[in-house]
Amino acid sequence: PDQRDRSFARNLVSTVERRMGQIDSVLSLCANYYPPKKGKHSSLVHACLRVGAAQILFLNTPSFAAVKETVDVLRDDKKKDVPEPMIKFVNAVLRRVGRDGLDMLEEHTTAAENISPWLVQQWIEDWGEENTKKICDQMFVQPHIDLSVNVGQKLEVEKLREEFGEDAI
């Protein structure tokens, strides 16, 4: 895979991890039963639903492309041999996410669903509901820039401060 594919995969996985509460809420509204019933393929189906939904809800992937790619992953995995009814289930749920998911996300979920309930409760006790909502919402604002430092390179903090400014480091 080239760098663009690796970057997309990293962004996709981190988005699923960061937004799992909201993704699961929307999926539960789109499916008669969610998460999938326990069985041989349930973990794979569960993961594929989350990945497909994340693309539609948060990564601005056209829904037809997210649905197709997710279904293709299930169809092309010869080792797992996922039954056709499960593939059709994933297709139907993701098509519903594509049709109604953004409205469901807006109307039925909050950023707090992505944070451990005990922590949200502690924040409410410490800072009140209004401030807790602001904290939760701010946590999921996409940063303007994300820098990763190559650990193998010698890091010189002073040069970074000169380059980016005192307040940036």
Side-chain angles (χ1 to χ4, degrees):
D2 67 3
Q3 182 60 39
R4 281 182 55 186
D5 291 339
R6 286 192 300 273
S7 295
F8 180 76
R10 179 176 181 252
N11 189 26
L12 180 55
V13 170
S14 64
T15 299
V16 170
E17 286 294 317
R18 290 181 72 217
R19 298 291 193 151
M20 194 175 302
Q22 289 176 291
I23 291 168
D24 284 347
S25 290
V26 170
L27 287 171
S28 69
L29 293 169
C30 291
N32 291 338
Y33 53 92
Y34 182 83
K37 294 178 181 172
K38 297 295 178 203
K40 180 178 177 183
H41 304 289
S42 63
S43 295
L44 179 62
V45 168
H46 199 181
C48 285
L49 283 169
R50 284 175 168 166
V51 166
Q55 291 178 74
I56 296 166
L57 297 172
F58 298 107
L59 298 180
N60 299 321
T61 303
S63 61
F64 72 89
V67 173
K68 179 192 178 308
E69 291 301 319
T70 304
V71 167
D72 285 351
V73 165
L74 291 171
R75 276 211 174 95
D76 294 343
D77 192 343
K78 301 301 180 203
K79 291 182 214 170
K80 299 285 185 195
D81 195 30
V82 179
E84 192 63 25
M86 293 186 103
I87 294 172
K88 287 181 178 180
F89 170 75
V90 169
N91 183 59
V93 171
L94 290 180
R95 287 177 60 157
R96 174 107 191 264
V97 171
R99 201 172 45 249
D100 303 325
L102 290 173
D103 290 336
M104 291 175 177
L105 185 70
E106 181 74 25
E107 295 169 15
H108 300 288
T109 72
T110 66
E113 292 177 52
N114 303 307
I115 303 167
S116 295
W118 69 266
L119 183 58
V120 173
Q121 187 58 44
Q122 185 64 53
W123 289 345
I124 290 171
E125 290 172 16
D126 292 345
W127 294 304
E129 286 191 35
E130 186 177 327
N131 286 331
T132 297
K133 182 184 179 329
K134 289 177 185 177
I135 292 168
C136 293
D137 290 343
Q138 189 61 40
M139 288 178 66
F140 293 96
V141 172
Q142 190 71 20
H144 296 289
I145 188 168
D146 182 19
L147 295 177
S148 297
V149 177
N150 185 346
V151 185
Q153 300 291 319
K154 184 178 179 185
L155 177 62
E156 296 184 28
V157 175
E158 290 307 316
K159 285 186 180 179
L160 289 173
R161 283 194 175 118
E162 289 173 16
E163 183 72 27
F164 295 106
E166 187 66 34
D167 295 337
I169 305 295

